[in-house]
Structures are given as C-alpha cells and as structure tokens.
Amino acid sequence: MNMENKQRNPVFLIHGIDDTEAVFHKMRAYLIQRGWSVYSLNLVPNNGDVGLDELAKQLADYVTATFAPEQRLDLVGFSMGGIVSRYYIQRLGGINRVQRFLTISSPHHGTVVAYGSRRPGCVQMRPNSIFLKDLNSDVVILGQLDFTSIWTPYDLMIVPANSSQMPVGREVTVPVALHPWMLTDFRSLAVVTATLAEPIKQPLLHKKSSQ
C-alpha cells in the first residue's frame, strides 16, 4: 500500500463559481482516507468579477509555488473550476504537468444560466462565447491526458446539462438530482476515486459509461 501511495500523484481540487475550497470537504476527506495527498486553493474573486483566464493564472502560480518542477499532478475541476483548469492546461502550460484531468459538471459548451450576469467570468461561460470557442477549437489537446468528464443529466446549473459532454476522453454519467451533490454523492466519489486510481494509459477513443 505504501508503494502504491508513493506512485500516486498529488490531487489538486479546483472549485466553482461562488464556492470556496470548503466545497470539497467530503471529497477531500474521502481521498485522504484512501491514501492521496490533496491540495486546493480559493480562487479570488470567486463571483465572476474577473475572467476565468485570470483565475487560471492563480492556479498556475499555486502549482509553481507548491510543487517541484518535475512533479506530475492530477487535476479535478468542479463546474467553473473545470473551465479554469482547462485554460491552465491548454493555454498556460499545464499540459506538461497534469496527467489525469477530471471535470465534474463543467459547462464545456456554456450554460444559459450565465446569461443572468454580465460579470466577465459569467460572460465567458455563456454558450458560444468567444472564450469557450477558443478553448474548444483545440480541445483535442486534452486527448494527451487521461481526461474524464463526469456529469448529471439532471443539472439545473449547467443548462443544457449535456454541455458537460466532450468529444475527447472518457465520459461518466452520475444521475444525481442537484449540481452541488456531484461533490458529495457516493457514486460521484466512487467514480473520482476509481479514475484517479487507474494507471496512466495511452489516449483512447471517446468512451461513455454511467453509474
């Protein structure tokens, strides 16, 4: 078990809009109990007042300050945090640091809920935004990682819910009733744990599964 733990990457959890790292309290404890080293940070401001590219720079700075240059990481982004993480990976060099990348209920193709605010970060999460079109223009880069998108078809924050679907990587549907429950439902926790425990593999064709 000790050897297994030593071979595991640190897990970095990235929260969503209007959240703090405290939203991961259950997932963090769940992973630590099973032998992972878990890290997170508070993105500031967390309400969309700045662009997601600015928040991604905070993520990049934290990684540089916290981990040795050769340390590989596993990244888990919830909701907006998944898009912030994508910007880090696709635009700020994170592709060279991250091995496993999981998004949980992230608006990869936008959410109509974002029309409710004119804040820069919210505008970027609208369907067909310039920001998302840019990220999705070379989404194939995520195929270089062990990438998994986890989502629920009943999401009322990510509308339409299938905005969380991606043309690359693995897709897992967890049919929980509410957006925030994706971080606490035992099925979600089981999927995250199993995905992080899998050996690093060569990129695969797009796969779907459900829990």
Side-chain angles (χ1 to χ4, degrees):
M1 178 62 74
N2 288 337
M3 284 300 295
E4 179 184 353
N5 290 347
K6 289 179 181 178
Q7 293 170 359
R8 289 178 174 176
N9 293 331
V11 178
F12 195 4
L13 308 175
I14 311 299
H15 66 77
I17 195 165
D18 292 327
D19 286 332
T20 68
E21 61 182 345
V23 75
F24 290 113
H25 67 281
K26 186 170 183 177
M27 182 176 290
R28 174 194 288 271
Y30 192 88
L31 290 171
I32 290 174
Q33 185 180 27
R34 285 155 180 80
W36 274 276
S37 297
V38 182
Y39 298 79
S40 58
L41 82 163
N42 288 321
L43 300 172
V44 180
N46 66 354
N47 62 354
D49 270 349
V50 300
L52 308 192
D53 47 325
E54 292 297 319
L55 298 181
K57 291 174 184 175
Q58 296 177 29
L59 191 165
D61 289 344
Y62 182 96
V63 169
T64 300
T66 306
F67 304 104
E70 68 277 6
Q71 177 66 60
R72 304 304 296 270
L73 306 171
D74 294 342
L75 204 53
V76 179
F78 171 60
S79 197
M80 177 191 76
I83 309 303
V84 171
S85 299
R86 279 187 61 190
Y87 193 90
Y88 166 64
I89 290 170
Q90 294 177 240
R91 300 289 179 264
L92 300 179
I95 190 71
N96 300 313
R97 300 293 302 265
V98 177
Q99 286 192 313
R100 299 176 184 86
F101 177 38
L102 288 67
T103 59
I104 303 174
S105 291
S106 289
H108 294 297
H109 305 284
T111 172
V112 299
V113 175
Y115 284 111
S117 172
R118 294 185 179 180
R119 292 170 174 167
C122 296
V123 170
Q124 289 176 332
M125 288 190 287
R126 292 176 179 177
N128 298 311
S129 72
I130 294 172
F131 182 82
L132 288 177
K133 282 183 175 180
D134 175 65
L135 279 184
N136 289 330
S137 68
D138 61 354
V139 68
V140 66
I141 194 174
L142 297 181
Q144 299 177 34
L145 311 176
D146 278 27
F147 171 62
T148 304
S149 173
I150 305 168
W151 66 288
T152 173
Y154 307 117
D155 209 316
L156 296 179
M157 285 296 293
I158 309 303
V159 182
N162 64 4
S163 176
S164 295
Q165 292 183 296
M166 291 284 272
V168 296
R170 178 182 174 222
E171 176 187 325
V172 183
T173 304
V174 183
V176 304
L178 295 175
H179 187 70
W181 290 2
M182 290 295 286
L183 297 182
T184 57
D185 188 276
F186 73 94
R187 292 166 293 183
S188 295
L189 297 176
V191 170
V192 170
T193 303
T195 303
L196 292 173
E198 290 179 355
I200 297 296
K201 55 187 176 298
Q202 293 298 317
L204 300 174
L205 295 176
H206 184 59
K207 294 173 62 179
K208 293 185 180 182
S209 62
S210 59
Q211 299 298 311

